[in-house]
Amino acid sequence: MNIGFLGTDFSRATLRDIEKVYIRKEGVPQFMKKLKDAVSEVVILSTCNRIEIYFAHPDVKAAEERLISAIADFKSQT
């Protein structure tokens, strides 16, 4: 199993861009359901100026693509 990271913070993106992918505390359970097929283990750290997703998967690159797709799908529904 390999560990991967996907994230951004205020030094790499504007706060407006971070808000586009920010996951509110209330939405985390629903978002986690979307991730169950993408990765086997995941930790999400989401604050007002950064978003970090740490995950475990045998193929980190494939998992990153699935995570990005899951975020886009989730945010389009909220």
Side-chain angles (χ1 to χ4, degrees):
M1 196 63 61
N2 297 309
I3 296 174
F5 167 79
L6 184 64
T8 192
D9 64 23
F10 70 95
S11 68
R12 295 186 183 115
T14 66
L15 290 178
R16 182 169 286 163
D17 289 337
I18 292 172
E19 288 173 352
K20 292 177 183 177
V21 293
Y22 179 80
I23 300 165
R24 296 184 177 275
K25 184 168 78 170
E26 313 77 53
V28 169
Q30 181 184 5
F31 180 64
M32 295 295 280
K33 287 179 186 176
K34 288 192 172 292
L35 296 183
K36 70 178 181 175
D37 296 329
V39 293
S40 57
E41 299 176 45
V42 65
V43 173
I44 300 172
L45 174 61
S46 188
T47 70
C48 60
N49 63 6
R50 73 176 181 225
I51 297 173
E52 299 174 357
I53 301 174
Y54 299 90
F55 58 92
H57 194 274
D59 184 346
V60 171
K61 190 65 177 168
E64 285 176 358
E65 292 172 8
R66 289 186 204 156
L67 284 168
I68 291 168
S69 179
I71 293 167
D73 184 48
F74 179 76
K75 293 306 284 187
S76 72
Q77 295 175 3
T78 59

